[in-house]
Amino acid sequence: MTRRGLSAAALLAPATLLVVATLVAPLVLLFRYSLNRFVPGEFMVEAVTAANYIKFFTDPYYLAVLGTTLWVSLLVTVICLVAGFPAALFLARTRTRFKSLLILAVVLPLFVGNAVRAAGWMVAFGQKGVINAILGGLGLITTPIEIMYTTTAVIIGIVAVNLPFVVLTLQSVLEGIDPAPEEAALSLGARPFATWWLVTLPQAVPGVLAAGVLCFILAMNAYATPVLLGGPSFQMMAPVVANEILQQSNWPFGGALSFVLMAVTLTLTAAANLIVARRYRV
Amino acid sequence: MVRGRNAGERAGRAVYNLAVAGGFVFMVLPILLVLWLSLFSNEILTFPPDGYSLRWYQGLLGQQQFIAGFLTSLQVAVLATVLGLLVSVPASLALTRLEFRGRQAILQLLLAPLVVPAIVIGTSLYVLFVEIEIATDLPAVGSVVGLSLAHVLITIPWCVRLVTANLIGVNPAIEEAAASLGARPATVVFKVTLPLIWPGIVAAGLFGFVTSFGNLEISLFLIAPGQTTLPIAILQYLAWKIDPTIAAVSAMQILVIAAGLLITDRFVSLSRVV
């Protein structure tokens, strides 16, 4: 080995070993356990069986949970990209002195944690919450409308959680795009929307992809928001996994659920990367 | 900006402005609602409130659960951030400054904790920790060290991403100049490279700290009965009820993080680091 190779190894070893020990090794162990058999009362019995995976793919309940998780995540991703793009474009192009303050308005929600933001939505959505108080005060409704513990509440909650990630990712890509072609298009008479559609957006495709993938992964993963805003009858994958491991102590099936969740998430994000790469040659 | 030439374009511009404002309001709204609720004088949620009061903030000192959770979270986040930076900065240097085989693979590995669902990381670490406990009789689940090691894992991708991004932005000619004038590699790193990328290191520390401090999905698996972190204490209280007390707890967290961000902003402009 050359001296260069040696020093690279020395610099990389601590971080790499840490990730191997706390990510790769536990995943390997969990995968092995997902092939074991669970016997109630006896905990876990050594075996090599696909029974836990077969149980998942033949039980309509778990398939429905995966289905809900998937369509909620896809919808959230689309909403976040559409809702986040204008704000990101504005942040990337603005020259105001208040830019730091606007960045703070994006970063602060990102940093205060999902549970705190879910608390904010609980204030808005409750039977006696802000929305019902306003609608009632305006005389638009006589009985409070149900928003808490509905799918709508969960979707609004996850969109709000993911939007700052999407805005920041898009903004950093948009800032790297030279505004000169846009200005050229505008000065040659293109309408603003046509300019955005034909000049800005095609250049921003890698950013849209990165932001979309991040948003999708986070939504597939959502824990606090569905637990707090969805209530006991609304189920997504992450709370179901946690319940299986912590309450039921069913490691084999909990492990299988984990790997299904991970495989679905990674396959879809890889597919998105491939499709976009082929279409736009990025 | 180009002025609208006709009604259609003016309408388009109005829609754009509305979308920008709507996006920002939507992100900030839940925080404003929590801050508002924390000042209500009535304990049971009604709108408009009967009046305003600061008494919920006075009551916070008696909330053992939240204070214990805050202290654990702070301890773990500080440990995880320091360790995360200590392993990530050298790795980032190797990834950007040295040529070696498997560079891309190592980078992907170090960024992987961001891609693997947090709940899966939590599950697998829990299983590993329980096995370690059975094998060695050492308490792994519920130990601050175990929790901190788990949190180092989730700070690594943020640290590596932000520090490598900064390193790529540094002109290598400056480092080469120092080296050709006789500085040893270590001197170049400490006297030239690190001072140049310190905004990136500050940002990495900030992101690492906040990621760890706010983590719920991994901590959930790794705390022992009777032990808690601030996000878990907040989640468990909210699953039961929402009232001005929990709003005041949340408000304290919001204020601490806002203060941290504003202080960071004084050293490195936030618009440059994120």
Side-chain angles (χ1 to χ4, degrees), chain B residues 188-238:
Chain B
V188 174
V189 167
F190 284 103
K191 297 270 166 160
V192 180
T193 313
L194 290 185
L196 281 172
I197 60 156
W198 89 275
I201 295 179
V202 171
L206 179 73
F207 268 78
F209 181 86
V210 174
T211 310
S212 162
F213 193 83
N215 179 275
L216 185 69
E217 291 90 347
I218 294 174
S219 307
L220 199 65
F221 289 93
L222 302 181
I223 53 160
Q227 195 192 23
T228 194
T229 67
L230 190 57
I232 293 177
I234 292 177
L235 179 86
Q236 284 169 346
Y237 194 97
L238 281 174

Side-chain angles (χ1 to χ4, degrees), chain B residues 14-71:
Chain B
V15 169
Y16 169 71
N17 287 335
L18 207 67
V20 171
F24 280 104
V25 169
F26 194 67
M27 285 186 275
V28 181
L29 188 65
I31 291 183
L32 296 180
L33 287 173
V34 166
L35 293 176
W36 190 28
L37 176 64
S38 74
L39 300 171
F40 281 21
S41 65
N42 40 309
E43 189 177 352
I44 295 178
L45 193 62
T46 48
F47 289 94
D50 302 340
Y52 293 97
S53 147
L54 282 173
R55 65 190 166 113
W56 311 109
Y57 287 90
Q58 288 174 334
L60 285 184
L61 286 175
Q63 301 282 341
Q64 281 311 315
Q65 192 70 351
F66 292 118
I67 291 172
F70 174 79
L71 291 176

Side-chain angles (χ1 to χ4, degrees), chain B:
Chain B
M1 275 287 144
V2 183
R3 288 233 142 202
R5 278 163 294 187
N6 56 40
E9 269 180 34
R10 276 200 298 277
R13 189 143 293 278
V15 169
Y16 169 71
N17 287 335
L18 207 67
V20 171
F24 280 104
V25 169
F26 194 67
M27 285 186 275
V28 181
L29 188 65
I31 291 183
L32 296 180
L33 287 173
V34 166
L35 293 176
W36 190 28
L37 176 64
S38 74
L39 300 171
F40 281 21
S41 65
N42 40 309
E43 189 177 352
I44 295 178
L45 193 62
T46 48
F47 289 94
D50 302 340
Y52 293 97
S53 147
L54 282 173
R55 65 190 166 113
W56 311 109
Y57 287 90
Q58 288 174 334
L60 285 184
L61 286 175
Q63 301 282 341
Q64 281 311 315
Q65 192 70 351
F66 292 118
I67 291 172
F70 174 79
L71 291 176
T72 312
S73 290
L74 192 66
Q75 226 179 334
V76 169
V78 168
L79 263 172
T81 307
V82 172
L83 276 172
L85 281 174
L86 281 177
V87 301
S88 300
V89 173
S92 306
L93 278 169
L95 286 168
T96 51
R97 291 291 184 267
L98 301 172
E99 286 290 326
F100 54 92
R101 278 200 300 165
R103 212 186 130 269
Q104 201 55 34
I106 298 267
L107 180 65
Q108 290 308 320
L109 179 73
L110 297 184
L111 296 181
L114 215 56
V115 183
V116 177
I119 206 88
V120 176
I121 298 180
T123 303
S124 60
L125 275 171
Y126 171 72
V127 167
L128 179 75
F129 280 15
V130 171
E131 291 294 353
I132 290 175
E133 275 185 10
I134 294 170
T136 63
D137 257 346
L138 293 170
V141 175
S143 73
V144 171
V145 176
L147 197 55
S148 303
L149 277 177
H151 281 211
V152 174
L153 178 69
I154 50 173
T155 67
I156 287 178
W158 288 110
C159 292
V160 168
R161 244 167 85 155
L162 289 162
V163 175
T164 50
N166 261 259
L167 280 167
I168 289 167
V170 170
N171 185 354
I174 305 172
E175 289 164 336
E176 281 157 21
S180 72
L181 290 171
R184 287 190 306 174
T187 316
V188 174
V189 167
F190 284 103
K191 297 270 166 160
V192 180
T193 313
L194 290 185
L196 281 172
I197 60 156
W198 89 275
I201 295 179
V202 171
L206 179 73
F207 268 78
F209 181 86
V210 174
T211 310
S212 162
F213 193 83
N215 179 275
L216 185 69
E217 291 90 347
I218 294 174
S219 307
L220 199 65
F221 289 93
L222 302 181
I223 53 160
Q227 195 192 23
T228 194
T229 67
L230 190 57
I232 293 177
I234 292 177
L235 179 86
Q236 284 169 346
Y237 194 97
L238 281 174
W240 174 45
K241 67 171 176 180
I242 171 129
D243 63 12
T245 296
I246 190 69
V249 172
S250 305
M252 291 310 294
Q253 189 180 342
I254 293 168
L255 294 178
V256 167
I257 290 174
L261 284 174
L262 286 173
I263 292 168
T264 312
D265 190 49
R266 290 196 64 92
F267 291 102
V268 223
S269 169
L270 271 185
S271 50
R272 275 185 55 208
V273 298
V274 290

